[in-house]
Amino acid sequence: MPVSKILSIVGARPQFVKAAVVSRALAAAGLAETLLHTGQHYDDNLSRIFFDQLGLPAPAYNLGVGSGAHGEMTGRMLIEIEKVLKTEQPDWVLVYGDTNSTLAGALAAAKLHIPIAHVEAGLRSYNRRMPEELNRVLTDHAADLLFTPTDDASQNLVVEGIPPDRIHQVGDVMYDAARQFGPLAPADVPARYGLAAGEYILATLHRAENTDEPARLAAILAALGQAGQPVLLPLHPRTRATLAAHPELATLAEALQVIEPVGYLEMLALERAARLIVTDSGGVQKEAYFQRVACVTVRDETEWVELVELGWNRLAPPESAAAVLAEIRAALDEPLPDDDDDLYGGGQAAERIAAILAGPK
């Protein structure tokens, strides 16, 4: 029987971007969607601005959970999502990525025997200390449909014993978003910050493994300050709190141009015009490639191994400023490699997801 009703759960910036393209595709396929926002990202620059810019409808439910310890946040979401599921009785629960919102949605649906579809399934860092790794592994093994972005992601699931008929390699919905919304990104954004295209480094830092470890954050900030290029750093609230608590880190950040978080369209414009992107974000690693800009990832590992293998991304574990700086300088000096337009599915991932959820005609 064709699916008629989907409840989509989002809670963080990357999920708003993914949902923007998937929601359009679901509507085009004749599927009824109800949107639930957990409130995991509640700052306007991390939440409402994305709904406004991407044309996402106001969520039918906003749980307003906000920040907190991982267990507390996930537990509160689980309680409230379960209530919504009992009210809505959807045919499918659709979750995205690897956040606490994702895991809470999957657990609530599994307990109520509601089928789960997981967008961006199969990614693995093989670092169980990352909360995101636990979230995505548990979600994948609870899900009934697993929409993978790449060959590597699909193979990871096969190795873990996921039945192949549950796995659908559709491509990456963030690539869909970059193609759809890229033309809307205002070209004058770098100039607003006194920057010229191709003459600055764009940096983002938010991951707990860096922000909660002052030595690692110090290594990254010091390397950026010595890179010999202007550095623009839209500052995540978590990183801002760490700088406020550690004056020595705040001093290192003074060598950079620190700004408030920006909306998705502004971020696309800044990425497109950057000479180099330095990040610990999984999504920004891919966005760098979508814009054909070299990337240095200040982490010990990455889920997007294909970008490292192709030479578009360099891993720079922040063990010291010298180690990070060496990778930054190498990325600035070496020519860009060849690209692959089909690497992330060609921009039709959302349409494929909607067609599978709609079922046979």
Side-chain angles (χ1 to χ4, degrees), residues 256-335:
L256 318 178
Q257 187 173 349
V258 176
I259 63 173
E260 292 296 319
V262 298
Y264 178 63
L265 298 182
E266 287 80 10
M267 190 65 177
L268 285 182
L270 290 171
E271 289 167 345
R272 184 169 57 207
R275 181 174 176 188
L276 175 69
I277 293 172
V278 177
T279 187
D280 59 11
S281 162
V284 173
Q285 292 174 52
K286 288 183 299 174
E287 288 170 356
Y289 175 72
F290 300 158
Q291 304 297 341
R292 303 307 193 254
V293 174
C295 182
V296 173
T297 297
V298 282
R299 287 173 50 190
D300 299 331
E301 68 286 304
T302 179
E303 302 80 5
W304 304 103
V305 293
E306 62 280 352
L307 293 178
V308 176
E309 292 168 353
L310 289 172
W312 283 93
N313 190 6
R314 294 172 175 272
L315 282 178
E319 299 165 355
S320 68
V324 176
L325 184 59
E327 295 298 338
I328 290 174
R329 286 178 172 165
L332 289 170
D333 292 342
E334 294 187 9

Side-chain angles (χ1 to χ4, degrees), residues 173-206:
V173 294
M174 288 195 73
Y175 186 41
D176 294 24
R179 286 166 58 100
Q180 288 185 30
F181 296 110
L184 303 179
D188 67 341
V189 176
R192 298 176 194 175
Y193 301 103
L195 300 169
E199 297 182 6
Y200 65 92
I201 295 171
L202 176 65
T204 76
L205 299 168
H206 80 280

Side-chain angles (χ1 to χ4, degrees), residues 101-239:
S101 300
T102 304
L103 178 60
L107 288 175
K111 295 289 187 181
L112 294 174
H113 309 293
I114 299 171
I116 303 159
H118 185 199
V119 177
E120 204 176 78
L123 300 186
R124 297 292 182 267
S125 69
Y126 297 102
N127 177 2
R128 290 294 183 95
R129 293 182 61 84
M130 291 175 57
E132 296 89 348
E133 181 79 353
L134 294 174
N135 289 344
R136 57 187 166 228
V137 169
L138 293 171
T139 299
D140 280 342
H141 284 266
D144 301 273
L145 283 178
L146 298 105
F147 297 123
T148 61
T150 62
D151 292 338
D152 284 332
S154 298
Q155 186 59 33
N156 288 340
L157 295 176
V158 171
V159 169
E160 292 178 14
I162 301 292
D165 61 350
R166 295 185 184 180
I167 304 168
H168 298 267
Q169 187 169 322
V170 297
D172 196 308
V173 294
M174 288 195 73
Y175 186 41
D176 294 24
R179 286 166 58 100
Q180 288 185 30
F181 296 110
L184 303 179
D188 67 341
V189 176
R192 298 176 194 175
Y193 301 103
L195 300 169
E199 297 182 6
Y200 65 92
I201 295 171
L202 176 65
T204 76
L205 299 168
H206 80 280
R207 198 169 292 275
E209 66 194 67
N210 289 328
T211 61
D212 294 352
E213 296 291 338
R216 290 173 67 95
L217 188 55
I220 298 166
L221 294 173
L224 288 170
Q226 299 171 50
Q229 295 281 325
V231 177
L232 187 68
L233 175 62
L235 199 59
H236 190 282
R238 178 188 291 137
T239 315

